[in-house]
Amino acid sequence: MDSPPRPARRAVTAATAATAVVVLGAVLAACGTAPPPPSTVPTPRVEVVATHPFDPTSFTQGLDVAPDGSVVVGTGLTGRSRIYRTTPDGRQSDSRPLDPGLFGEGVAVAGDTVWQLTWTDGTAIRRDARTLAETGRVPYDGEGWGLCFDGRRLIMSDGSADLTFRDPVTFAETGRVTVRRDGEPVRRLNELDCAEDGTVLANVWQTDTIERIAPDTGEVTAEITADLPRPADADVLNGIAHIPGTDRMYLTGKLWDTLYEVRVTP
């Protein structure tokens, strides 16, 4: 049988190994592959308070609450896009189809106007907030994804990490900000909601994550998990609307049959 290793050789081997680990760690850090530090962003979840019926044929792209408490819904898919109003008990009204070639996206109630985005058509549709009838169109560059109104400006997403600020009357761009979590850009920002506390809620496309954002700096202040039940053939979460005067919001998604009324856990 082999002789046991001598202590001196074991000591040299151990020291060499320890040095190699330190050197390897330094190399990885220098190459930018070292693991990032733990996030300091809070990670609350949503708590379901109530459920309401929702049209399961709606490929929901935008959601907002009007001053009368009704919910304005914008839907997508070319040839099937529309905008309509619904109540928590599921009664629909004021349904307006988009032109057959347009793919609808986010919606925002801004005073006596409702704005509706289109995906790749570069067209924002202006509508009468009372009837949802079209009153005009404005072109814009790039894609349209989510939209909300914070009381003084429209805030728009385009699937990137940027949010664009726009004039609520002319739709002209007035500024933009890059959204970052722990210093890193957060891409695929989709449906937006402007909450009463001045923050913006944005769901990250194809996830159940909603980022709470300070819009003036772009900083993510919380990352909310909203893993809600949905039909097996339904698509992703894509509808956020704060309920004015409460600590609750509505959540739904593409082809979902339920409008969830939720609050964020402390």
Side-chain angles (χ1 to χ4, degrees), residues 90-113:
R91 290 181 291 121
Q92 292 187 24
S93 62
D94 301 321
S95 181
R96 306 282 182 174
L98 274 65
D99 292 350
L102 298 180
F103 191 116
E105 284 283 348
V107 299
V109 180
D112 58 3
T113 298

Side-chain angles (χ1 to χ4, degrees), residues 78-91:
T78 304
R80 293 173 50 188
S81 297
R82 65 180 178 130
I83 188 171
Y84 66 93
R85 194 185 311 275
T86 188
T87 58
D89 60 2
R91 290 181 291 121

Side-chain angles (χ1 to χ4, degrees), residues 6-7 18 40 54 63 121-122 128 140 148 162 164 167 169 176 186 220 228 259 261:
R6 289 173 291 180
T40 58
F54 196 70
L63 204 70
D121 304 287
D128 180 273
Y140 57 82
C148 70
D162 289 348
T164 303
D167 185 278
V169 177
R176 62 175 55 223
V186 181
V220 172
L228 299 167
L259 180 68
E261 188 172 333

